[in-house]
C-alpha cells in the first residue's frame, strides 16, 4: 500500500466516514477529514498531527470547500484520494415533502459533492494521478422504495455525474468510482443522520410502514460491517484499474440483480414496439 497518499474525506465525524478515517490512520495514510462539527471530529479521532488534519467545512459553500481543499494541500503538500461521503437520508413521499426539504437534500447530497469535485479536480488533473470516490447508495441504482424517492434521486444523480466524471478524468490518469452500499451498521438511520417529512400524509401506508421499519427495525440491525467497507475502499484505491461502479454488500447485489433482471425482461418484452422509431424515407 502506498501510505504516502493523502486522503480527503468528507462527512468524517460519524458513520462510514469516521470508520474510514480511523482505518486509514491505522494503516499509516495521511488524512484530511471534514465535518460541520470540528469538536466532534477531534473527540472521535484527535487533534491535528503530522498524519491527521481535521477541518470544519460547509459542504454547501463552494468558497468554503475550496479553502478546505487548499488547506489540505498546503498542510500535506498534495491531495491524492477524495471521498465524497457526506450526506443525509430523507424519508418522505414526493407529495408530502416540501420544496425546501427536497432542495436541502439535493444541496448536500448532490451539489455538495460537486463543490468538492470542482475544487479538487484541478490538483488531481495537474498531477495526473488520483482517485475520487463518490458514495451513493443502492438506492442510487434502484429507486423502488416507498418514501425514499427524493433521497434515491439524489443518489441517482451522484451515480450519473460519476460516470461522466470518470470519462472526463480518464485522460489525466485520475480514477473515479461510485460506491453503492447496502445496509451498513452505522448511525445513518439514527437521529441527526436521517430526516423525515415535517408534514407526513397518513394515507401513504406503504411509505409510513417503510419509514417505521427503517427507523425502528433496520436501524442497529444492518447486516454489513463498515470496517470491511473501509478496507475495501482502501483496497480499491490501490488497484491499477479500479471499477467505476462498485456495489457493497450481499443485499446491494441482490437489489441490483433484481433491477437488472427487470430491465432486461422489460426491454425484451417491448423491443419490437420500442425500436420501431426509425424515420421512413
Amino acid at each position: 500500500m502506498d501510505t504516502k497518499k493523502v486522503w480527503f474525506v468528507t462527512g468524517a465525524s460519524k458513520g462510514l466516514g469516521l470508520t474510514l478515517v480511523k482505518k486509514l490512520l491505522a494503516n499509516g495514510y495521511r488524512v484530511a477529514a471534514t465535518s460541520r462539527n470540528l469538536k466532534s471530529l477531534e473527540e472521535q479521532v484527535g487533534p491535528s498531527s503530522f498524519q491527521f488534519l481535521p477541518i470544519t467545512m460547509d459542504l454547501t459553500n463552494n468558497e468554503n470547500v475550496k479553502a478546505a481543499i487548499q488547506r489540505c494541500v498546503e498542510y500535506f503538500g498534495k491531495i491524492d484520494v477524495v471521498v465524497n461521503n457526506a450526506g443525509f437520508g430523507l424519508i418522505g413521499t414526493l407529495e408530502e415533502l416540501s420544496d425546501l426539504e427536497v432542495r436541502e437534500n439535493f444541496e448536500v447530497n448532490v451539489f455538495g459533492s460537486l463543490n468538492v469535485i470542482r475544487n479538487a479536480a484541478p490538483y488531481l488533473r495537474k498531477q495526473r494521478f488520483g482517485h475520487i470516490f463518490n458514495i451513493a447508495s443502492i438506492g442510487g441504482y434502484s429507486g423502488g422504495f416507498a418514501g425514499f424517492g427524493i433521497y434515491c434521486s439524489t443518489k441517482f444523480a451522484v451515480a450519473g455525474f460519476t460516470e461522466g466524471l470518470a470519462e472526463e478524468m480518464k485522460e489525466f490518469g485520475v480514477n473515479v468510482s461510485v460506491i453503492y452500499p447496502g445496509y451498513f451498521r452505522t448511525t445513518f438511520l439514527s437521529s441527526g443522520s436521517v430526516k423525515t417529512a415535517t408534514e407526513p400524509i397518513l394515507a401513504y401506508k406503504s411509505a409510513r410502514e417503510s419509514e417505521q421499519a427503517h427507523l425502528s427495525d433496520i436501524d442497529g440491525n444492518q447486516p454489513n460491517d463498515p470496517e470491511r467497507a473501509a478496507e475495501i475502499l482502501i483496497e480499491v484505491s490501490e488497484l491499477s484499474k479500479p471499477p467505476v461502479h462498485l456495489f457493497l454488500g450481499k443485499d446491494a447485489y441482490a437489489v441490483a440483480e433484481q433491477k437488472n433482471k427487470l430491465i432486461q425482461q422489460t426491454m425484451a418484452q417491448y423491443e419490437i414496439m420500442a425500436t420501431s422509431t426509425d424515420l421512413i424515407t
Side-chain angles (χ1 to χ4, degrees):
M1 297 186 295
D2 182 4
T3 55
K4 294 181 181 179
K5 287 180 180 177
V6 174
W7 289 61
F8 185 90
V9 182
T10 71
S13 61
K14 56 186 175 182
L16 177 59
L18 177 59
T19 301
L20 176 61
V21 167
K22 289 182 176 180
K23 185 73 68 175
L24 287 166
L25 293 173
N27 281 279
Y29 290 94
R30 290 175 290 172
V31 183
T34 78
S35 173
R36 293 173 298 173
N37 189 333
L38 184 64
K39 182 180 179 181
S40 175
L41 184 56
E42 290 180 328
E43 288 176 349
Q44 294 282 352
V45 183
S48 300
S49 68
F50 73 96
Q51 191 184 358
F52 178 60
L53 175 65
I55 304 173
T56 302
M57 189 179 78
D58 178 1
L59 195 67
T60 65
N61 185 311
N62 183 68
E63 291 304 310
N64 190 259
V65 172
K66 181 178 181 179
I69 292 174
Q70 184 175 351
R71 188 178 174 198
C72 169
V73 174
E74 290 174 349
Y75 194 86
F76 291 117
K78 61 175 183 172
I79 184 172
D80 297 307
V81 184
V82 175
V83 182
N84 271 312
N85 170 72
F88 70 92
L90 179 63
I91 304 176
T93 67
L94 271 67
E95 179 185 353
E96 65 196 7
L97 289 172
S98 68
D99 179 72
L100 181 62
E101 289 171 307
V102 172
R103 288 180 184 275
E104 183 184 18
N105 205 210
F106 270 86
E107 194 69 37
V108 174
N109 293 5
V110 178
F111 296 109
S113 292
L114 290 173
N115 285 340
V116 173
I117 291 167
R118 182 181 304 112
N119 289 291
Y123 296 102
L124 303 178
R125 177 167 48 80
K126 289 176 183 178
Q127 71 189 23
R128 304 187 74 83
F129 171 82
H131 199 144
I132 298 174
F133 288 99
N134 294 322
I135 309 299
S137 161
I138 187 54
Y141 190 76
S142 178
F145 306 96
F148 285 84
I150 293 301
Y151 171 73
C152 288
S153 69
T154 67
K155 296 305 185 177
F156 266 78
V158 170
F161 69 61
T162 299
E163 287 190 350
L165 183 65
E167 287 299 312
E168 294 164 358
M169 299 298 282
K170 186 184 298 182
E171 62 183 293
F172 304 108
V174 178
N175 298 312
V176 183
S177 301
V178 55
I179 310 300
Y180 304 93
Y183 290 108
F184 279 79
R185 196 167 298 182
T186 68
T187 58
F188 182 74
L189 292 174
S190 303
S191 176
S193 295
V194 64
K195 296 184 179 182
T196 57
T198 55
E199 297 184 13
I201 299 172
L202 298 181
Y204 284 102
K205 293 183 179 180
S206 60
R208 298 286 77 78
E209 290 172 355
S210 177
E211 176 181 323
Q212 186 62 31
H214 280 81
L215 299 180
S216 300
D217 302 327
I218 298 175
D219 185 28
N221 294 299
Q222 298 96 323
N224 295 301
D225 183 2
E227 293 281 342
R228 181 55 187 146
E231 291 172 355
I232 290 172
L233 289 180
I234 295 172
E235 290 174 22
V236 172
S237 75
E238 298 293 338
L239 297 177
S240 59
K241 294 183 179 180
V244 174
H245 299 270
L246 182 64
F247 296 87
L248 288 184
K250 293 178 181 177
D251 52 348
Y253 260 74
V255 172
E257 288 171 350
Q258 183 180 34
K259 177 169 181 177
N260 290 343
K261 183 177 180 180
L262 175 62
I263 293 296
Q264 291 173 345
Q265 290 177 340
T266 303
M267 288 180 68
Q269 182 177 354
Y270 293 96
E271 181 176 7
I272 294 176
M273 177 181 68
T275 58
S276 63
T277 58
D278 292 348
L279 285 169
I280 300 175
T281 56

